[in-house]
Amino acid sequence: MAAYIGRRLRKGAATTAVAAVVVAALSASGAPGAQGITDSASGSQTSDSAPGPDDGDHSATGDSPYYTELPPLKSPTVPPTIGDPISRGGSEAGIPATVLDAYKQAEASMRQSQPECNLPWELLAAIGKVESGHARGGRVDGNGTTTTPILGPVLNGNGFANITDTDKGAFDGDATHDRAVGPMQFIPSTWGEGGPTGDGWGADANGDGNRDPNNIYDATLAAGRYLCAGGRDLSAADELRAAILSYNRSTEYVNTVLSWLEYYRKGSHEIPDGTGTLPEDRSDRTPGSTPPASETPRPGSSAPDRPGTGAGSTPDPERPGSGPGASPGPSVPGGSPSPGPSTPPTKPPGSGGPTTPPTSPPTTSPTPTDTVARLENAGSATITATAGESFPRPVKVRAETSAGDPVAKVRVRFTVAGDTDTAFPGGERVATVMTDSAGVATAPALLAGEKTGGFTVRAVVVGRTAAAQVKATVTARQADALVRVGDKELICSPGGEFADAVVLKATREGAAAGRVAATATLVKAATDPAVNDKGPHFKDADGKPVRELTALVTDKDGVLQLPKLHADETTGTFLLRVTTTGGATLTVELKVTAPPAT
């Protein structure tokens, strides 16, 4: 016991040092580091009992326990290459694939609905880490729902908040008191008053028609909405800290979340679902208690049990929220009580009678995601579009088993990789789509940007390494016809300036061809495209003659107005030739004549 206490004290000292370093760094960089919360408008200080945005009585979690581990001092390993679905690095920087996808989708959704909030996905990851260890190390199915519910301790006022049942047990299975639910640990009254159909912060992010706090996509978007409540701008340090405090009213909680936020901002990487490590130290852990062997998660295993604290236990001065009232006996992360030993006792050898064999460990059926062996292109392997236009064919891939059978209802993430401004709707470079009954996932329509050249669209099954890719190319905008606007004769005296500018309009298939590149050249003759060295000319910034202009571009209506033309002392008829990308060409006559004799 003495040895354990010694280790605990040493670990506590190290943890305190890490927290001090992180908070100092956050303060230096403009992030919050002070204990109090400063209102950005009034400058007033708010205590740690500040109400959440829901009803003024409780935080999002009911101030339930949370995991207290801090990130390592060493920065995470940044993924070495773009498009690598599983980059290796420190284990703490790994986030299960489906969970990471949910965090990033929630950020994208909030960017569309509340862009002024500036919600970073790393903040959602930090909260998900301390609330549930990223849904128990990514133990979720193909739809993002946890394989078993994640429940916090009974909020009966015995060591925790006292919250009388608000959902008739619809979310937490408890019709007497509320309990925090799901990977982001919402209490039912915050998620949705009166059950799944009531009002509240709950969201249906995966489009299945159900707001499920045990679904990582639904829960993460709900957390984003909650954090952005009241028009918060999370790029402001004080508002960021106030948002985290509204989630769980504990200064230690805020500093722990900020530590993970800073850590994930320095880099993270994707790991397969179910392989994440689960934190061990929780804010309601009794000093001196030793985690059982079953608490250590194993890749591919079901959610491990977690120890609770027995009634009447001694409060832990190092852990906020500890003390009597936690659920007795082993419990899952968050405190859901587990049943007693599942293996019946056996009779000692020689005592006579049959011996009851140990119970076999439970087996779980593979999820659809587990059966995916490969992704195959279900459309064209190469696609092309003109800048500014939608690609005529979407990217399609097909998820298959090793036997070649289609796999439905698995998530496929499409990523635009390369030096390009081409994107999915909303300017997004990443989109996640569910496969249909034929195993096919169809990416949203790609809109070609202005940057020409090639890039790649990569597809990967979320939670697996199965991947496919499509080569894409953006070509320059084109015009197939070019006409002069107006028909007035272009004439000038030697050494003078043409009174009228040359104005042209480019079209493509009869429609205006906007933003098309063009070149204007004073040529020697209709059959000789060489640049003429005499006659009409443009002028550069220094007033010197220029007889070829490149990098001209039509406006959005396809109109191109050339700079003023000037003449030297040479008289005669000259030719101005204008060409566009796509092959449209127009030749205009210019005349330089001496004025008539008087």
Side-chain angles (χ1 to χ4, degrees), residues 351-378:
S351 61
T355 299
T356 305
T359 303
S360 300
T363 60
T364 57
S365 301
T367 66
T369 301
D370 295 332
T371 66
V372 177
R374 58 180 174 269
L375 273 183
E376 299 288 346
N377 281 332

Side-chain angles (χ1 to χ4, degrees), residues 43-133:
S44 61
Q45 293 290 321
T46 305
S47 72
D48 285 356
S49 60
D54 54 339
D55 58 11
D57 293 330
H58 306 298
S59 65
T61 65
D63 301 329
S64 292
Y66 57 91
Y67 291 113
T68 60
E69 275 91 343
L70 291 170
L73 288 175
K74 184 179 179 181
S75 297
T77 301
V78 179
T81 58
I82 295 176
D84 182 10
I86 301 179
S87 300
R88 302 302 176 189
S91 61
E92 292 298 340
I95 301 177
T98 297
V99 180
L100 179 60
D101 185 59
Y103 295 150
K104 292 186 176 181
Q105 283 213 46
E107 178 198 59
S109 178
M110 294 304 298
R111 193 185 308 132
Q112 291 293 312
S113 61
Q114 292 180 250
E116 70 282 357
C117 179
N118 296 302
L119 172 72
W121 70 262
E122 293 90 345
L123 174 59
L124 297 171
I127 290 177
K129 175 70 173 181
V130 303
E131 292 294 347
S132 66

Side-chain angles (χ1 to χ4, degrees), residues 328-404:
S331 60
V332 296
S336 179
S338 299
S342 59
T343 303
T346 60
K347 293 185 178 182
S351 61
T355 299
T356 305
T359 303
S360 300
T363 60
T364 57
S365 301
T367 66
T369 301
D370 295 332
T371 66
V372 177
R374 58 180 174 269
L375 273 183
E376 299 288 346
N377 281 332
S380 176
T382 59
I383 53 176
T384 302
T386 301
E389 300 181 4
S390 294
F391 279 78
R393 294 186 301 275
V395 177
K396 294 184 178 182
V397 294
R398 183 173 183 263
E400 297 179 351
T401 66
S402 57

